[in-house]
Amino acid sequence: MFLEISEESSSSETLKEDYCVNTIGADLRIRSSFISNCEKLITESTSPDLCNEHFLLKTQSLSKEIKVLSSAIYDLCSSKLNFISTNRGEIDDKNDENLISRDSANNKKFTDDELRYLTTQGPFQPKIQYNYLEYSKIKDAAFCFCCRLFGQGPGDARAEEAWTTKGVDSWSKMKGRGTQKARKLVTHFKSAAHKAAEKRLQIFSNKKSNVDLMLNADRREADQKREQLLKINEKIIISLLEVARFLGRQSLAFQGQEHDEGNFVEAVNLLRRRDPVMNKWFNDPSLRPYHVSYLTNRAQNEFIEILGKSVHQSILNDTYNSTFISVTIDSTLDKSHKEIYTIITRFEQNFEPKERVIAVAELPSKVGQDICDFVLNQLSLCGISTDKIIAQSYDNASNMSGKNTGVQECLNQALNRKIPYIPCSTHTRNLVVQHGSSISIEFVNFFKILQELFNFFNMSIKRHALLSLLLKDLSKTRWSDRYNSIKAVYSSYTEIIESLDDVTENEMIIKVNIELKDYLKVLNEKLNEDDDKQIKSIEPGIDDEDLLFAEVNAAQSKISEYENVTQACKLIKNLNHYPRLQRVYKYLITIPVSIASNERSFSKLKIIKNYLRSTKTNERLFYLMLCAIEKDKLDELNLHQSAKEWAKMKDRRIDL
């Protein structure tokens, strides 16, 4: 009988096996760190001041972490066991060069692994009195197992070749009762050479491991510890990125006036109190080469940069894949009195309009040509082709909308083609309200009365408490506040009159009430709003107008069932056999109607760069604004990939 030992596994497969074992060992080492937390919970469970809910929550959280890690270990073990079972070598009776034969006639020079296998199996024999006696089918002779394997060494001077290489086939003399020479078995097994070989066999068998095994065990332990450390390092960096993502998403400050008072450091400390692995990493200097902590201002900026760049790249990828894009630009003064411009691209994605920030930067100029050059430069830096631009939208300022030197005309000249310009509808409405509010002395006085009413009730806590509906201030920039102010007064007119009567009986206030009532009547008669506006455009990429009209006529009955373009797009995106019609709708939903997204970005700008945080660089400001504005993109980031990118930024003192 021979045992077949397969040689199919290559060195690479061996490395994979070792890596698997090291990974499991590293996971088990990480799991062992939860033991201290379990002991704390056991102690806490017997405390007289135990809060049941708090105890259960902590136990549930710890159990969840252990369960996740245990499931990963279980799945990996199951996968590798299935692989081993499928590729296991089989026992066979074949005589092959690749098989290690246990037959005594095999007198090759064995390796340590082969010796270990043979000594584990023992002599190749039936059950007989002499434990080391074995029989060779090939030579039809008897051999001594320990002399054959360990015959060479001290005391082998009188060793007999018959028991090691040639074999003994004098069967009549094996256990004969004649002379001493005839009793070959007794003579050999009492000989000094056999006893020396047997001692060497016992020494070899009693060794738990030889030098190679010890080195291999040490190497495996070192590999496991390294794998464990790499996993812990990755977890720490991902946790720090998670903190940075939370603060950036919520537009919160990272740093305080002192290093230890910042939101970033305090959030990390909060996680440490809930995570024993993370807490051990910060408390054990041996886990942190050169005592790095990655909590410094520079490290925080690196995390912000990684997140910001990832969000920006995701936006650019969507832009690259779009058929058309339109551009909107606007600017505002920040707290440091710098002119900050935001550039937003509008494009179609799966027949849904998307507006994304691609640039936030300072430009100390309001000249149309300078702004145009700035936009083209930013598009070039982002790798966005200007051939995709089909429309542009700005506010109604002369430097933006001017027909001769405005940005819209400069862009046409720079690209040598006509790009439709759509004035911002929101700013247009504001201008209508602004000029409409000043065309009559009645309107001017009316809005002055509204402002006086707001001031009168808000200057006093007692007067302010009399009204259930708050009056609105007349904002100089948000003209919709004028409508809100009128609505507030109109809805609570009776309550305002009663409140004024309660405050005082002054004739001037009564006169104001009368005037207010009259102006409301005049306003109701003179102001009307027309919202029925339509935009019709011809897309230049259509190859055949007749085919386009045919597709429109074919789908007209279905399209007419929808009330607007947005709803119709739900139908159009499934009409793949109408490619020209789909292209027209992509074109339509890409056309901008306002620069409201730019205005909303300024709201985030004022939160992020306030009077307490007015010294940040433009690059850091851009990344923070991306995290705060493009929250859906930020939430989609794969932090494992972000951690790898962080490690590649420069030579780190920890490895991932």
Side-chain angles (χ1 to χ4, degrees), residues 141-195:
F143 289 83
C144 177
F145 176 74
C146 57
C147 291
R148 180 170 65 90
L149 297 181
F150 298 93
Q152 296 180 355
D156 63 348
R158 296 185 178 184
E160 301 180 53
E161 293 184 355
W163 292 98
T164 58
T165 57
K166 296 180 179 180
V168 178
D169 56 2
S170 302
W171 304 110
S172 60
K173 300 180 181 180
M174 285 289 186
K175 297 182 65 175
R177 296 186 178 183
T179 64
Q180 182 71 17
K181 186 176 180 180
R183 301 170 60 190
K184 289 182 177 296
L185 287 176
V186 176
T187 302
H188 173 72
F189 285 105
K190 286 185 177 181
S191 66
H194 171 79
K195 291 181 179 179

Side-chain angles (χ1 to χ4, degrees), residues 250-255 263 333-337 602-616 620-621 624-625:
Q250 301 303 115
S251 306
L252 298 175
F254 277 64
Q255 304 163 12
N263 289 334
L333 282 175
D334 63 11
K335 285 296 180 181
S336 59
H337 298 284
F602 296 150
S603 300
K604 290 297 182 182
L605 172 64
K606 296 182 187 303
I607 295 174
I608 295 172
K609 194 169 185 179
N610 54 39
Y611 73 98
L612 292 176
R613 305 162 65 191
S614 60
T615 59
K616 55 176 56 64
R620 187 169 186 263
L621 173 64
L624 287 173
M625 287 190 64

Side-chain angles (χ1 to χ4, degrees), residues 95-111:
N95 184 10
D96 191 278
E97 295 180 356
N98 295 327
L99 306 180
I100 295 180
S101 172
R102 294 178 59 204
D103 194 285
S104 312
N106 185 10
N107 293 316
K108 59 169 284 189
K109 183 68 175 179
F110 297 108
T111 65

Side-chain angles (χ1 to χ4, degrees), residues 220-232:
R220 173 161 288 176
E221 181 181 4
D223 289 344
Q224 288 182 2
K225 289 182 177 180
R226 175 173 172 76
E227 184 72 20
Q228 176 196 16
L229 182 59
L230 293 179
K231 288 189 173 185
I232 292 176

Side-chain angles (χ1 to χ4, degrees), residues 494-516:
T494 304
E495 188 177 359
I496 292 174
I497 299 299
E498 293 175 354
S499 300
L500 291 173
D501 290 339
D502 293 339
V503 173
T504 179
E505 296 295 331
N506 189 287
E507 294 182 357
M508 181 60 69
I509 295 181
I510 296 175
K511 182 178 179 181
V512 169
N513 293 339
I514 297 173
E515 291 180 354
L516 176 61

Side-chain angles (χ1 to χ4, degrees), residues 63-115:
S63 302
K64 182 179 179 180
E65 294 186 44
I66 296 176
K67 181 180 178 181
V68 171
L69 186 58
S70 300
S71 299
I73 297 175
Y74 177 82
D75 293 340
L76 186 56
C77 290
S78 300
S79 174
K80 297 308 295 183
L81 286 173
N82 290 335
F83 176 81
I84 292 173
S85 177
T86 305
N87 297 274
R88 188 190 305 278
E90 298 180 354
I91 296 178
D92 200 349
D93 287 333
K94 290 183 178 180
N95 184 10
D96 191 278
E97 295 180 356
N98 295 327
L99 306 180
I100 295 180
S101 172
R102 294 178 59 204
D103 194 285
S104 312
N106 185 10
N107 293 316
K108 59 169 284 189
K109 183 68 175 179
F110 297 108
T111 65
D112 282 351
D113 288 336
E114 292 170 341
L115 282 175

